[in-house]
Amino acid sequence: MSSTGSGYDLSPTTFSPEGRIFQVEYATKAVENSGTSIGIRCVDGVVLGVEKVLLSKLLKKGANKQIATISEHSGMAFSGFGPDSRQLVNRARDEAHSYEDTYGSAIPPNVLAERMSQYVHYFTLHGALRPFGTGAIVAAYEPERKEHQLYMIEPSGVNFRFYGCALGKGRQGAKTEIEKLDLNTLTCRQALKEVARIIHILHDEAKDKPFELELSWLCEESGWKHTYVPAELKDEMEEAAKKEIEDAEMEEDEEEEEEEEKA
């Protein structure tokens, strides 16, 4: 019974004999089945990227964005159910506005991440509620301390601070690629190409539906305001990433041919 979740997955408040909460695991699975989201903290800011899967060819380009601005100095990328993500965005905006209204300054990144994770966790504690089927990556800047930070919030309500992180179906592959980067020297402009490259590498054109790449940044170049990357720059970085992938594939093919000739 416990191996399939039967009898123990009727409520997020019920633990299985193995100590598992199946509804939280199901919510995490919903995130894993969605498009990939990536966040990278660079020396001069933070870059967010999302593989927005196009469910229909009739969708207007640029609509239904999966990266949202929370406040002047913070933004969020998400993977999972769109309606659930919208609720997180609205809650985050309320928290940012409430903090600024109360204390007269921008909400610190760690406070925003902690409040959002507490909100998400609350929905795992009551039988009348269900966990959020979405995960979020939060990029924020604290003007007082002149510090930029990156956090990831999971459906369980846990949050961690990262130098680089990913959500969605390409999470493991993206993590592997991010670990290859030198994040101590990487700039935001360099990270834009890397994020585009990673998302295109992980996207399987034969199996996956077409997608639209979304990129945003929070950095010195944007005046420490969370904004979408200008369209011309995004297209330039995406083309550079595609070319780099093609060159790498050609080199692999040539190496394979040389090995076959030697054999």
Side-chain angles (χ1 to χ4, degrees), residues 5-154:
S6 177
Y8 295 99
D9 59 357
L10 302 179
S11 167
T13 63
T14 304
F15 282 91
S16 74
E18 293 83 13
R20 298 164 64 183
I21 304 178
F22 283 100
Q23 282 207 16
V24 173
E25 293 184 15
Y26 297 160
T28 302
K29 190 66 177 179
V31 176
E32 292 175 354
N33 289 335
S34 63
T36 305
S37 297
I38 296 175
I40 296 181
R41 182 191 182 279
C42 311
V43 293
D44 59 343
V46 183
V47 169
L48 299 176
V50 172
E51 173 199 15
K52 185 179 72 178
V53 179
L54 300 177
L55 302 177
S56 170
K57 294 181 180 179
L58 301 178
L59 283 173
K60 183 179 183 298
K61 185 176 181 180
N64 307 306
K65 293 185 180 297
Q66 289 184 231
I67 298 179
T69 296
I70 303 304
S71 66
E72 184 178 23
H73 301 295
S74 60
M76 178 187 292
F78 44 83
S79 292
F81 288 146
D84 287 11
S85 303
R86 185 172 61 243
Q87 291 300 316
L88 285 189
V89 170
N90 290 338
R91 177 70 179 201
R93 286 171 176 167
D94 289 342
E95 291 289 354
H97 177 74
S98 175
Y99 188 95
E100 186 172 358
D101 191 45
T102 302
Y103 300 103
S105 61
I107 187 169
N110 63 312
V111 175
L112 176 61
E114 184 63 27
R115 290 188 179 185
M116 289 308 301
S117 63
Q118 288 176 0
Y119 179 68
V120 171
H121 181 233
Y122 178 83
F123 281 75
T124 70
L125 301 176
H126 297 271
L129 304 174
R130 69 161 175 81
F132 280 95
T134 185
I137 299 175
V138 179
Y141 174 73
E142 188 174 357
E144 286 75 14
R145 299 177 61 185
K146 300 187 185 303
E147 185 178 13
H148 52 285
Q149 299 175 13
L150 177 70
Y151 290 87
M152 184 169 73
I153 302 168
E154 299 184 7

Side-chain angles (χ1 to χ4, degrees), residues 178-219:
I178 292 172
E179 288 174 348
K180 297 176 183 177
L181 305 175
D182 183 3
L183 301 181
N184 293 319
T185 61
L186 192 72
T187 66
C188 283
R189 278 191 170 254
Q190 293 170 335
L192 289 176
K193 187 182 76 170
E194 295 299 336
V195 169
R197 181 183 64 82
I198 292 171
I199 289 177
H200 276 281
I201 287 176
L202 298 175
H203 182 80
D204 189 345
E205 294 184 358
K207 297 180 181 179
D208 300 333
K209 293 183 178 180
F211 77 98
E212 181 180 333
L213 177 66
E214 289 187 10
L215 292 172
S216 73
W217 58 3
L218 174 74
C219 58

